[in-house]
Amino acid sequence: MSHFAVVAPPLFSHLQAMRALAHQLVSRGHRVTFIAEGEGDDFYPLSPALRDAQREVTHTSAGHLFRVIGALSRLTDVLCQQLPDIVQRLAVDALIVDQMEPAGGLVAQALGLPYISVACALPVNREPHYPLPVMPFNYRQDEKAQRLYHASERIYDRLMQPHGRVIAHHARRFGLSPRQRLDECLSPLLQIAQCIPALDFPRHQPPACFHYVGALRDTPPVAVKNHPRAVPPRAWASLGTLQGHRAGLFHKIAAACQDVGAKVMIAHCDGLTDAEVDSLYRSGASAVRGFVDQPAAIRDADVVITHGGLNTVLDAIAAATPLLAIPITFDQPAVAARVAYSQIGRRVSRFATRSHMAKQLDALLNDDRYRQRITAACEQLRRAGGAPHAASLIEQAITPFRPTHPLRSMELR
């Protein structure tokens, strides 16, 4: 059996996906250690510097782009400094690395260890004529779209230069080939995406080691619901763990639901005060909660209103519940663009008027084509295999590397 180290950014949804994958591997007799802040025997005790770098990422507001980039850069830098010693001390056989954290791939290659890249968010893999997974663009192949995609790549890479410099520095320090982007740090052995083709734009040149596996969950998707739409219809709304404080947007959601005669449950992830919760009831919300059983709430709903977080969208697909995506930050605009492209839902700006939002909800509730398309996507998600399939792919990928091999000695520049 093998010992894996998991390297991932300290983001709740990413760690939850990795935990589900880890549970599968542990159930098969493997050992998994997380290089992240957390409680339990499966979390490695972090140094103060590494703990502070992780906390800076989680506590930096998504609205401050340059601060977020700076925090991510400092975390990668500290990981590249400390991870080699941690990995050698743990005597791991392979690393499981979130695509969003390049330090894992850099260190694994420096030590001569096999590693697996996991896309907990949209895959960062680049292709010609394909928009970046952080851009809100629709998928098109005309010349105008290609110029837009190319220009956006240049702008994005320029914005990410602080992170790119950290990647380039440690690649030189480890004696690796030059690189400065996330996609240049992906595993050549195995790449797993927590997504399905029905939710992604068409990919034409994925690497042979790239696999869609669907949602990484401890519990596989349940059977598709077959009950008719409720009367009055039921909506479920959440803006995720980082955006639950947006009381004004929740007010607009509640009012739009009231306009279409829908009962709406709002989950704010403890982001609202008691006074703000009370005011949401006055705006038309039928229930307001801090946290709920999200998959169960989505199964009971006729429409899901979401910020476009990939995990929430995958939960909606698993329940065959159409979506209204209201993206805010990070890859959410890109996820929302894919929701609209696949026609499993609609998207609106968070600045949309109450009446426009109500119009989109009315279409989702009364046009059966959305339910039909998301039902087909649900079947694809079920067949993708999820965490069990991902664990099997990992076992197959690392088999040639067992028994454990000696770590490459590192003479750092």
Side-chain angles (χ1 to χ4, degrees), residues 23-89:
H23 292 160
Q24 270 295 320
L25 291 167
V26 169
S27 73
R28 300 174 184 212
H30 302 288
R31 181 183 173 195
V32 179
T33 301
F34 280 76
I35 314 301
E37 187 173 11
E39 297 181 358
D41 294 338
D42 54 344
F43 281 85
Y44 184 83
L46 304 182
S47 69
L50 184 49
R51 185 172 58 250
D52 290 346
Q54 291 210 350
R55 289 178 178 177
E56 183 182 4
V57 171
T58 58
H59 289 89
T60 300
S61 170
H64 296 93
L65 176 61
F66 292 105
R67 293 182 188 176
V68 170
I69 294 170
L72 292 172
S73 302
R74 283 185 284 277
L75 176 56
T76 296
D77 185 45
V78 175
L79 276 169
C80 283
Q81 294 177 45
Q82 298 192 9
L83 196 55
D85 180 62
I86 294 172
V87 168
Q88 292 178 95
R89 188 178 301 155

Side-chain angles (χ1 to χ4, degrees), residues 354-372:
R354 164 182 174 175
S355 61
H356 183 64
M357 198 174 290
K359 181 180 179 181
Q360 307 309 309
L361 286 169
D362 184 69
L364 290 169
L365 289 168
N366 293 297
D367 189 338
D368 287 339
R369 289 176 295 182
Y370 292 102
R371 178 69 68 88
Q372 293 166 2

Side-chain angles (χ1 to χ4, degrees), residues 219-243:
T219 304
V222 299
V224 178
K225 59 173 176 268
N226 55 16
H227 59 72
R229 199 189 81 179
V231 181
R234 295 167 296 194
W236 183 81
S238 172
L239 301 177
T241 55
L242 299 180
Q243 304 295 331

